[in-house]
Amino acid sequence: MRVAEITTRIVRVIEVPRSQLADFLKLPESQQVGVYFLMGDLSDAGLPRAYVGQSGNVGNRLVQHNQNKDFWNRALVVISLTNSLTQTHAMFLEWFAIAEATKAGRYSLENGNTGSQPYTPAPLQADCYEIHETAATLLATLGQPVFEPLTQTATMSNGKPQPAELFYCKGPDANGVGEYTSEGFVVLKGSTARVGNVASIQGSSQERFREQLVTDGVLQLQGTQYVFTRDYLFTSPSMAAIAVLGRSANGWMEWKTDKGQTLDGAKRQAVNATS
């Protein structure tokens, strides 16, 4: 187990490997009100799976999930050092965390619909926003950036904001726009993708991969096209191109700048030239 906290804050995050759940249950923190995140293997769409929950007794709830949820391998538990979280705090924090994690799009959430915002008095909401901010920092410190945005809308050059470098992937009924980042390739919300798959990938893992994007709500049918409902991180430019084009694709060659330069030329060859 690992513990993360900021000395000036009352929030603590405890990372509990599933294999050490029994050890966590011996801690007094396991009996507290808290919010928890179950982290698991990759979904068919290539994103790590996660589940957000809350409980008046997080230890008991994790025991239940240990019996009826198979996907997870570790839990991150958010509790108060002063044991001051109430059920009202926890319900709002759960709702807000699901909404923010969905917006970020880094994880495939097992929760489904976020539901409606629970009634929370304004002073408690203010507490919750501060707790959430601290928890988000601690989760990222523990290697789970659940709420961090996928893209940088602007970069700084000589103290002045500059537009992000965009790449485009076009085909029949497809017009993808994306950014190459340190974590992979992000296709931006509003990009369009081909609905049908070419014969060569039908019945393959690539077809199942695209079907999972539809199941997860990343791709939504609008007229004769799929539309990306949110920014989405792919592990590679090629997986992003496959999602857009509905066929096998080398993303390093398919994604191009507005001037027609390939992603390979703009990024990989530039590195080779520098070295």
Side-chain angles (χ1 to χ4, degrees):
M1 288 187 287
R2 296 192 295 171
V3 177
E5 61 186 63
I6 300 173
T7 54
T8 56
R9 307 286 179 88
I10 66 167
V11 177
R12 169 179 287 171
V13 176
I14 305 174
E15 182 184 41
V16 185
R18 190 168 184 171
S19 61
Q20 292 185 258
L21 179 57
D23 295 325
F24 173 69
L25 296 176
K26 298 174 184 176
L27 302 178
E29 290 90 341
S30 69
Q31 308 302 311
Q32 289 191 26
V33 176
V35 179
Y36 58 87
F37 300 80
L38 303 181
M39 303 301 184
D41 299 328
L42 297 180
S43 71
D44 290 340
L47 287 186
R49 293 193 288 172
Y51 178 88
V52 185
Q54 59 82 25
S55 175
N57 185 308
V58 289
N60 287 347
R61 185 59 57 85
L62 291 182
V63 169
Q64 295 172 7
H65 290 320
N66 190 44
Q67 296 173 342
N68 56 37
K69 289 188 184 298
D70 293 331
F71 79 92
W72 65 285
N73 50 44
R74 63 188 56 245
L76 289 100
V77 180
V78 181
I79 54 95
S80 165
L81 289 170
T82 57
N83 199 7
S84 57
L85 288 185
T86 67
Q87 200 72 49
T88 303
H89 284 107
M91 291 177 66
F92 184 88
L93 285 166
E94 176 192 40
W95 169 82
F96 189 67
I98 293 171
E100 291 297 294
T102 300
K103 186 189 302 181
R106 287 181 172 273
Y107 290 73
S108 178
L109 292 185
E110 299 288 304
N111 293 81
N113 196 303
T114 60
S116 58
Q117 178 178 342
Y119 171 74
T120 310
L124 265 66
Q125 280 195 31
D127 288 344
C128 288
Y129 290 133
E130 184 175 348
I131 292 167
H132 175 84
E133 180 183 358
T134 304
T137 300
L138 296 176
L139 288 170
T141 301
L142 291 169
Q144 303 291 351
V146 180
F147 307 108
E148 291 187 4
L150 291 171
T151 62
Q152 297 294 326
T153 56
T155 55
M156 299 303 292
S157 177
N158 298 323
K160 298 181 180 179
Q162 299 292 325
E165 186 176 16
L166 299 179
F167 292 87
Y168 303 86
C169 179
K170 298 182 179 181
D173 292 323
N175 187 3
V177 183
E179 293 181 36
Y180 181 61
T181 75
S182 60
E183 298 175 275
F185 196 92
V186 179
V187 178
L188 302 183
K189 178 181 178 180
S191 296
T192 59
R194 179 179 179 175
V195 173
N197 298 307
V198 299
S200 60
I201 72 166
Q202 290 177 5
S204 71
S205 60
Q206 293 178 351
E207 182 179 50
R208 293 190 295 273
F209 160 71
R210 295 189 84 230
E211 289 174 348
Q212 189 63 43
L213 292 175
V214 177
T215 301
D216 290 347
V218 178
L219 293 178
Q220 186 176 81
L221 183 63
Q222 293 186 14
T224 60
Q225 298 173 308
Y226 284 135
V227 176
F228 280 79
T229 60
R230 61 179 184 266
D231 295 348
Y232 193 84
L233 175 65
F234 292 90
T235 55
S236 70
S238 293
M239 296 307 291
I242 291 168
V244 170
L245 299 174
R247 60 171 172 80
S248 297
N250 180 347
W252 291 99
M253 305 308 293
E254 298 286 356
W255 291 99
K256 300 177 182 179
T257 67
D258 56 356
K259 296 181 180 180
Q261 185 181 30
T262 64
L263 178 62
D264 177 72
K267 297 298 180 182
R268 291 201 297 195
Q269 299 307 318
V271 171
N272 292 340
T274 301
S275 62

